[in-house]
Amino acid sequence: MLAYGVIQISATVVTAISLAAIALGLCAVKQESKAFNGCVDEVIANGVTNAEAVRFCNGG
């Protein structure tokens, strides 16, 4: 029973750490998306089409 309890608590801790890592990853994606959208808006403001702005902001 003691071993089972220790394993259960360990699994819960690993799950919590994994969920925290996923949440931090999503925050990074949100910031990157904001930067990309800002780049596209800025390039479009210079009179470029949407497709060309996306290509430019992707590095191509």
Side-chain angles (χ1 to χ4, degrees):
M1 285 303 278
L2 181 62
Y4 175 76
V6 170
I7 291 171
Q8 188 70 26
I9 290 173
S10 299
T12 303
V13 169
V14 169
T15 302
I17 292 171
S18 298
L19 288 173
I22 291 169
L24 290 175
L26 290 177
C27 289
V29 169
K30 181 179 178 183
Q31 290 175 344
E32 186 176 337
S33 174
K34 276 185 166 181
F36 179 78
N37 289 339
C39 175
V40 170
D41 290 339
E42 184 178 336
V43 174
I44 289 173
N46 291 331
V48 178
T49 65
N50 288 354
E52 290 173 342
V54 170
R55 188 173 343 131
F56 176 79
C57 292
N58 277 331

